[in-house]
Amino acid sequence: MIEFVYQTLVKFGYTHPLHPAINHVPIGLVIGAFLFALTARTFRWAQLTQTAWHCVILALIMLLPTVVLGIMDWQHFYGGALLFPFKMKLVLAGLLLIFLTLALVFGLLREASSKSVFMLYLFSLLTVIGLGYFGGELVYGTRTAAKEISKGPAAEGAGIFKQNCSVCHFADKTANKVGPGLKGLFKRDKLPASGRPVSEENFRNQLLAPFGQMPSFGYLTKAQVTALVAYVKTL
């Protein structure tokens, strides 16, 4: 079912993860709740206390689809591998659910303006900052950084690798990340997952009809694959 969703989206030209498109909603609502609560406490503006609490309710509503799409992306793009940033995101998502639920309950008990609720808003804010950090670590962190090439097709290939491949493959080592590291790939005899002989043709075939749990990258153009090959040959 998950793969059907992504393959359908690819047909319409959408190749990106689904989670980032929605996770800004609960994050923005948590930030809004804290700022409204802070303003209410600072300027004795009681109406904003209720506004902050309403933000919490909406954040809780949007948290479920955000988590579901995050799990789908995790399964599709990472094969469900429990990388450290994912472990931290799962823990922080659980904490966020607890903080928001407690804030909701306090609000139902008409204690939304209490210091305890304000601290829950603060803890929720710190939690979404942590979620953002570890999400950024997956995309931009040093563990996913591709080797930089100054010019030529390999330079374009480095960008393609960083956007499409670096989440699962190391560029500077042979150790496994989610998939095998690709350092020195074209100096080997066999592709690490399929065992097929190393060649440009088999590399291209792996992108179009992957072996194992690797998702298909059939949406890449021939020129992009050529640039990607040029880059991988430099590793």
Side-chain angles (χ1 to χ4, degrees):
M1 179 61 183
I2 291 178
E3 291 306 314
F4 172 77
V5 171
Y6 286 96
Q7 293 305 320
T8 301
L9 290 172
V10 165
K11 293 178 181 178
F12 291 95
Y14 189 93
T15 60
H16 301 291
L18 300 175
H19 176 68
I22 194 175
N23 69 348
H24 299 87
V25 179
I27 288 176
L29 287 166
V30 168
I31 295 172
F34 174 77
L35 292 178
F36 282 128
L38 179 63
T39 304
R41 292 181 65 84
T42 302
F43 298 102
R44 308 293 181 183
W45 197 345
Q47 293 93 329
L48 290 185
T49 299
Q50 192 72 2
T51 303
W53 188 65
H54 287 158
C55 285
V56 167
I57 296 174
L58 292 174
L60 271 170
I61 293 172
M62 294 306 299
L63 191 59
L64 177 60
T66 302
V67 170
V68 169
L69 291 180
I71 292 174
M72 289 174 60
D73 284 346
W74 174 40
Q75 292 295 325
H76 177 72
F77 291 101
Y78 295 85
L82 273 176
L83 302 175
F84 179 72
F86 282 119
K87 294 179 182 178
M88 292 303 301
K89 283 171 71 69
L90 289 170
V91 171
L92 290 171
L95 288 174
L96 181 60
L97 176 61
I98 293 171
F99 295 148
L100 293 178
T101 301
L102 289 174
L104 174 65
V105 171
F106 274 105
L108 291 172
L109 297 175
R110 302 192 179 281
E111 296 183 21
S113 61
S114 68
K115 183 177 180 180
S116 297
V117 174
F118 180 76
M119 294 305 297
L120 287 171
Y121 292 154
L122 176 59
F123 294 152
S124 297
L125 176 65
L126 295 175
T127 302
V128 297
I129 290 173
L131 285 165
Y133 171 80
F134 286 107
E137 176 70 12
L138 286 168
V139 180
Y140 303 110
T142 56
R143 282 173 284 189
T144 63
K147 177 182 177 183
E148 296 296 332
I149 305 296
S150 58
K151 59 183 178 179
E156 180 185 355
I160 296 170
F161 182 94
K162 186 172 184 178
Q163 181 177 0
N164 296 276
C165 312
S166 63
V167 293
C168 294
H169 300 281
F170 288 117
D172 57 353
K173 59 182 74 174
T174 59
N176 280 3
K177 190 176 187 183
V178 175
L182 300 183
K183 181 176 176 61
L185 178 67
F186 277 91
K187 298 175 184 177
R188 307 181 204 176
D189 295 326
K190 297 180 180 180
L191 294 173
S194 66
R196 297 165 184 160
V198 174
S199 67
E200 289 190 23
E201 180 181 4
N202 284 335
F203 183 86
R204 294 171 188 269
N205 289 338
Q206 176 70 6
L207 294 174
L208 297 173
F211 178 86
Q213 295 183 337
M214 175 177 163
S216 173
F217 291 89
Y219 57 83
L220 293 177
T221 66
K222 290 184 178 179
Q224 287 176 317
V225 174
T226 297
L228 183 59
V229 169
Y231 171 70
V232 174
K233 283 185 173 181
T234 70
L235 300 179

